[in-house]
Amino acid sequence: MKNRIEGLGGLADPQLFNETLEISKWKQETLLQQLKMMLIIRGAEEKLAEGTVAGKIKCPCHLGIGQEAVAVGVSTNLRSTDRVFGAHRSHSHYLALGGSVEGLFAEVLGRVTGCSKGMGGSMHLYDGARGFMGSVPIVAATIPLAVGAGLAAKMDGRGDVAVGYFGDGAAEEGVLHESLNLASSLNLPVLFVCENNFFASHLHIGLRQPSDSIARFAEAHHIPNEVVDGNDVVAVTGAAARMINRARRGEGPSFLEAVTYRWKGHVGPSDDIDVGVKRNQDLTKWKGRDPVRRLAKAMQEKGFLSAERFSKVQEEVSTFINAAWMKAEQGDFPDQAALLDLVYFRKDEKR
């Protein structure tokens, strides 16, 4: 793995890295699955945006449209016994592991059929059966949980790994550095995944840090790291494979910095032009690095996917998303007693 101490350079320039992807070493079936999953994630988040505008969603929704390739690339290498932790913008992390779209919609709508039984909303997702151990809105709070899960995985001795997703803003929390230090010192099977989209809430990284690269913090703790184009799903998949396989072999933690960009604002469906953040020109350029378009175009050029088949896949995903939304809306709201029964743990009760 190549260590880097310089800034992101060209990876931060949205006018670069917008070519079609190099997919010659990848299986057609894998790429099609990844393309379909990215379409599902995008479609689901666009549906959530619609629901917010319509007033049907009452909880805050942090959308990651444009960042789909990161979660899909990492999740391609994971198994259900691994332990994955998200943050406040984690719809993609949950869905890429196979989380139910209907369960996500129902959760955000506050229905008892949601993945957290309607108690958590957009920022508290859970699917333990698929290895998604939870997301929370407290910035950087799940990073040490991933380290703890990594310690448990090491003690179990089954080759499982822990994954902690976080953004560049979370890198400014001290707990990240404590977590990196502990994971390195104990040689734990943890993959730290930083989705560097340049913004912490509404503040650009250029106004917050002396460098736009986050991987430099991993180097301080002697953790191998890679910096990749986070809108290139095959680049993410390859880097994550190298790091996860390394962890499974007992060779300790790794750090993946995926450079990407969210198309929507910090929270909600707007582009953040309403709160003083002026990024219209950058946003337009970053949409040229669309991870979905780049993979679809590469597959078409390679002969893996016809234009007609791509349209059919898009239609199937749209139908699937709409059906999931309609079913989620039919779910009941939890009883008031559920606030105590589900949110708080009672030591004398079995669950």
Side-chain angles (χ1 to χ4, degrees):
M1 299 180 188
K2 181 180 179 181
N3 286 338
R4 297 169 182 266
I5 56 173
E6 70 272 21
L8 295 177
L11 278 173
D13 184 347
Q15 297 186 94
L16 303 177
F17 293 91
N18 54 16
E19 67 281 0
T20 55
L21 308 183
E22 170 52 54
I23 60 173
S24 58
K25 297 181 181 178
W26 300 88
K27 294 180 180 178
Q28 179 179 2
E29 182 180 355
T30 300
L31 295 171
L32 185 58
Q33 290 174 345
Q34 291 186 319
L35 179 64
K36 188 172 182 179
M37 180 53 70
M38 287 198 290
L39 287 169
I40 288 174
I41 293 170
R42 180 164 299 182
E45 293 213 294
E46 288 174 339
K47 197 69 181 178
L48 293 174
E50 291 177 16
T52 300
V53 172
K56 294 182 177 180
I57 296 174
K58 307 300 182 184
C59 67
C61 278
H62 299 75
L63 303 173
I65 295 174
Q67 300 185 182
E68 297 87 354
V70 183
V72 172
V74 171
S75 297
T76 297
N77 299 286
L78 296 175
R79 56 197 193 198
S80 62
T81 52
D82 295 324
R83 302 122 200 233
V84 181
F85 296 82
H88 58 285
R89 197 181 312 280
S90 278
H91 303 150
S92 61
H93 310 148
Y94 162 89
L95 291 173
L97 288 170
S100 164
V101 176
E102 181 193 335
L104 169 63
F105 288 161
E107 185 58 41
V108 174
L109 289 166
R111 311 303 169 113
V112 72
T113 50
C115 61
S116 297
K117 300 183 179 179
M119 293 289 107
S122 167
M123 295 185 283
H124 297 89
L125 307 177
Y126 175 77
D127 190 345
R130 290 176 174 77
F132 192 68
M133 306 312 292
S135 58
V136 300
I138 301 172
V139 175
T142 51
I143 299 173
L145 299 183
V147 173
L151 175 59
K154 181 177 181 178
M155 296 176 70
D156 288 343
R158 297 193 295 258
D160 294 331
V161 302
V163 177
Y165 287 103
F166 54 94
D168 49 288
E172 293 154 14
E173 296 283 351
V175 72
L176 169 66
H177 305 274
E178 295 174 293
S179 299
L180 292 173
N181 178 66
L182 189 62
S184 181
S185 297
L186 298 182
N187 200 42
L188 301 180
V190 181
L191 174 59
F192 298 91
V193 182
C194 177
E195 293 174 289
N196 186 350
N197 63 20
F198 303 102
F199 282 92
S201 185
H202 304 94
L203 198 60
H204 192 272
I205 195 169
L207 299 172
R208 302 173 2 240
Q209 296 195 29
S211 170
D212 57 6
S213 175
I214 306 300
R216 70 188 194 276
F217 298 131
E219 293 183 17
H221 296 281
H222 297 186
I223 294 178
N225 60 87
E226 290 193 47
V227 184
V228 299
D229 174 5
N231 286 16
D232 180 340
V233 69
V234 296
V236 176
T237 303
R242 290 187 287 275
M243 295 177 166
I244 290 170
N245 290 336
R246 180 177 180 277
R248 295 201 198 285
R249 293 194 300 266
E251 297 175 15
S254 299
F255 191 106
L256 175 61
E257 180 176 3
V259 182
T260 185
Y261 203 82
R262 55 173 160 80
W263 293 6
K264 296 299 181 182
H266 169 58
V267 58
S270 77
D271 293 342
D272 260 11
I273 57 175
D274 58 332
V275 292
V277 178
K278 298 178 180 178
R279 57 175 201 151
N280 285 351
Q281 291 186 351
D282 281 349
L283 179 57
T284 299
K285 294 174 183 175
W286 273 100
K287 287 184 177 179
R289 207 191 276 187
D290 181 354
V292 175
R293 178 192 62 78
R294 290 169 70 196
L295 177 57
K297 186 176 180 181
M299 292 181 68
Q300 290 176 22
E301 291 178 355
K302 191 70 175 177
F304 285 178
L305 181 72
S306 67
E308 293 74 17
R309 176 58 180 151
F310 183 44
S311 296
K312 183 66 174 176
V313 171
Q314 289 177 299
E315 182 180 335
E316 291 171 352
V317 168
S318 179
T319 300
F320 172 67
I321 295 292
N322 288 329
W325 179 264
M326 290 179 63
K327 194 170 182 180
E329 283 193 298
Q330 295 170 4
D332 294 328
F333 291 106
D335 293 334
Q336 288 189 6
L339 286 171
L340 295 178
D341 294 340
L342 297 177
V343 175
Y344 295 99
F345 175 71
R346 295 175 179 170
K347 187 176 180 180
D348 57 341
E349 288 186 354
K350 293 183 179 179
R351 298 188 171 231

